[in-house]
Amino acid sequence: MTSVNRVVVIGGGPGGYEAALVAAQLGADVTVVDSDGLGGSAVITDCVPSKTLIATAELMADMEEADELGLIIGRPGPEDDALGVDLAKVNHRVKGLALAQSSDIERRLTRDGVRIVVGRGRLDGPERVVVALADGGEEVLDAEAVLLATGAAPRTLPSAQPDGERILTWEQVYDLDEAPDKLIVVGSGVTGAEFASAYNALGVDVTLVSSRDRVLPGEDADAAEVIEQVFTRRGMTVLSKSRMESVTRDGDTVTVTLTDGRTVEGSHCLLALGSVPNTRDLGLDSAGVDLDEGGFVKVDRVSRTSARGVYAAGDCTGVLMLASVAAMQGRIAMWHYLGDAVQPLDLKTVSSNVFTAPEIATVGWTQTGVDAGEIDAETVMLPLSGNPRAKMQGVRDGFVKLFARPGTGIIVGGVVVGPRASELIHPVSIAVSENLTADQLAHAFTVYPSMSGSVAEAARRLHRVAP
């Protein structure tokens, strides 16, 4: 009789539940140990909630062009012609959708035969998981393979401690019943920029504190410049080269003190200081699982850790903190362990998006890599302001940028800045992953008029006539 592979997954986020689904599909006996709700932070407190909030903010931002498009919002008069936001209602919807998505994941896992254990798991050697059950007691699970998918948590500082009321992490903002009078966002990376953009669109007075010389320092510089210009035009205060020293609260007033002695006062402060991995108290030493200097689990491109039979996926690895990458790491781990066809993770094919207004979507090689000489590539950047559909919709901000290898014309990267850039990047992502040339991308039909027409037009501009 053929033995059944026993797989235990610690953590029910995208890396964990996607791995469980693959392992179950391939005939393994799968148990998922989860303590915070299936879907993890991506579904419960991060991606799904934040993008639901941003969906409301997007609609508010779109209304800025209402007058140009001939729309009249509300009744005539100085007090009745503006949109408002019921933040309690928005957040009720946010949390409801998150819980519904979590329930959908639980039903799918159960349907596919995955056992779910509610509790906190830790390794007791590489082939045993001890679970502290939520309802008391312990359960010991033996496994031929273990996947760690424990995620990460918002980073805080001793001088900037959240209280859940006025000083908040991004996991706590959904308990607000009223819109802040003045919100200070500390941190101008992806999370900080997204929330600053969203609350600004909802009509909140926002100050963004950035320790760097520009917002979104990890993104394409041209894209970040567009976003900062839009932020400023829409009334946001952006404090660049301003490092936070501390955050304190006195009643209903929050004060952010900067390292140069300046202070900024507001009604609320959102801390967007990055993430720390959830890798403590997991018994990793007993299993021989190595961590890097930041406390992240070290993995190779097929999600293996330093311990035989122990894999890891998602934010606890620090590879690239995206739900899509976590899910792929989890799938790759199980494909590898269970002997199915597998390709190692290739970060140069990962498309990502910053959900500001406008959005920034990227894939493949970057302008930074090109400028540093890491790859030889030709660049074309085409503003969206000349796109017919953009003109019809009142869109002026944004561009399409493509990188192609000289000679062969193979597309190696791209950036899209504009409304729904997360959708527009897909043809570029296909081109990068399939090694398509600029000519091949240009020759595919696009709808007229459409924003995607700018992707094809940028590709056409990379065409070189043979000598």
Side-chain angles (χ1 to χ4, degrees):
M1 179 181 292
T2 303
S3 62
V4 176
N5 288 290
R6 288 172 297 178
V7 173
V8 175
V9 177
I10 303 177
Y17 76 75
E18 287 288 348
L21 290 170
V22 167
Q25 182 186 44
L26 296 177
D29 178 354
V30 187
T31 301
V32 171
V33 179
D34 181 72
S35 59
D36 300 321
L38 290 168
S41 62
V43 171
I44 305 296
T45 57
D46 194 353
C47 293
V48 170
S50 65
K51 277 51 177 182
T52 306
L53 173 71
I54 288 167
T56 300
E58 271 184 345
L59 187 56
M60 292 283 282
D62 288 344
M63 290 301 101
E64 289 184 6
E65 313 300 333
D67 184 63
E68 178 184 340
L69 299 182
L71 297 178
I72 299 174
I73 306 299
R75 299 185 301 275
E79 297 181 357
D80 299 318
D81 58 355
L83 288 176
V85 61
D86 182 341
L87 194 59
K89 188 173 182 179
V90 171
N91 283 337
H92 178 75
R93 178 174 182 264
V94 165
K95 290 187 282 190
L97 285 174
L99 291 176
Q101 178 73 4
S102 179
S103 296
D104 287 346
I105 294 167
E106 181 175 2
R107 281 192 293 272
R108 185 177 177 192
L109 288 172
T110 302
R111 182 195 67 195
D112 286 7
V114 175
R115 181 178 175 232
I116 300 166
V117 177
V118 180
R120 295 191 176 275
R122 60 178 174 82
L123 290 170
D124 181 18
E127 296 182 344
R128 181 176 292 111
V129 174
V130 178
V131 184
L133 299 171
D135 57 2
E138 283 189 349
E139 181 175 346
V140 177
L141 303 170
D142 293 321
E144 282 81 30
V146 176
L147 176 80
L148 302 171
T150 52
R155 177 173 172 259
T156 61
L157 297 174
S159 61
Q161 284 294 305
D163 62 11
E165 295 179 352
R166 297 272 171 175
I167 304 174
L168 308 161
T169 69
W170 66 78
E171 294 183 339
Q172 298 170 328
V173 295
Y174 309 109
D175 292 326
L176 292 175
D177 291 330
E178 295 181 355
D181 293 326
K182 182 175 181 180
L183 176 65
I184 307 167
V185 178
V186 179
S188 63
V190 173
T191 300
E194 287 184 347
F195 277 106
S197 176
Y199 282 108
N200 175 247
L202 293 175
V204 175
D205 182 356
V206 175
T207 296
L208 179 60
V209 177
S210 172
S211 63
R212 308 291 284 273
D213 57 357
R214 62 175 172 85
V215 301
L216 295 166
E219 300 298 319
D220 181 271
D222 293 319
E225 182 179 356
V226 170
I227 297 302
E228 188 159 346
Q229 290 173 350
V230 171
F231 282 0
T232 304
R233 190 178 74 224
R234 290 176 175 166
M236 188 188 303
T237 301
V238 179
L239 301 179
S240 59
K241 299 181 181 178
S242 301
R243 185 175 295 276
M244 181 270 293
E245 175 72 26
S246 65
V247 182
T248 57
R249 174 184 175 184
D250 183 9
D252 292 343
T253 300
V254 172
T255 301
V256 176
T257 302
L258 306 178
T259 53
D260 61 8
R262 289 177 296 158
T263 60
V264 184
E265 291 188 347
S267 63
H268 296 75
C269 176
L270 172 60
L271 301 173
L273 306 173
S275 300
V276 292
N278 295 324
T279 51
R280 296 183 62 183
D281 303 322
L282 289 177
L284 302 185
D285 287 343
S286 72
V289 176
D290 292 339
L291 303 178
D292 67 13
E293 294 180 356
F296 294 93
V297 179
K298 290 183 178 180
V299 292
D300 63 13
R301 291 175 61 202
V302 291
S303 305
R304 289 179 297 190
T305 71
S306 54
R308 182 177 178 85
V310 180
Y311 294 77
D315 289 357
C316 69
T317 70
V319 170
L320 188 55
M321 288 186 164
L322 297 173
S324 58
V325 173
M328 187 58 74
Q329 284 180 292
R331 296 186 199 106
I332 286 173
M334 292 300 99
W335 288 328
H336 180 270
Y337 169 67
L338 294 167
D340 203 22
V342 62
Q343 289 185 338
L345 182 68
D346 181 2
L347 295 181
K348 287 303 179 189
T349 63
V350 175
S351 55
S352 62
N353 196 71
V354 183
F355 288 87
T356 46
E359 296 177 0
I360 303 173
T362 56
V363 66
W365 283 93
T366 65
Q367 186 73 64
T368 300
V370 173
D371 293 344
E374 297 172 9
I375 187 172
D376 188 13
E378 297 177 348
T379 304
V380 162
M381 190 167 83
L382 185 66
L384 279 183
S385 57
N387 179 287
R389 185 70 180 274
K391 293 177 182 178
M392 297 169 191
Q393 295 180 339
V395 173
R396 298 178 182 81
D397 303 301
F399 60 81
V400 172
K401 181 190 289 190
L402 296 178
F403 306 108
R405 296 282 283 167
T408 64
I410 291 174
I411 300 292
V412 293
V415 183
V416 179
V417 180
R420 305 294 191 274
S422 49
E423 311 293 345
L424 289 174
I425 197 66
H426 191 232
V428 185
S429 181
I430 293 173
V432 169
S433 63
E434 298 301 320
N435 293 318
L436 300 182
T437 67
D439 285 348
Q440 287 173 314
L441 182 59
H443 292 165
F445 276 91
T446 57
V447 172
Y448 181 86
S450 69
M451 296 285 196
S452 60
S454 288
V455 176
E457 176 61 24
R460 278 193 289 275
R461 295 192 182 193
L462 284 167
H463 177 71
R464 294 291 179 267
V465 178

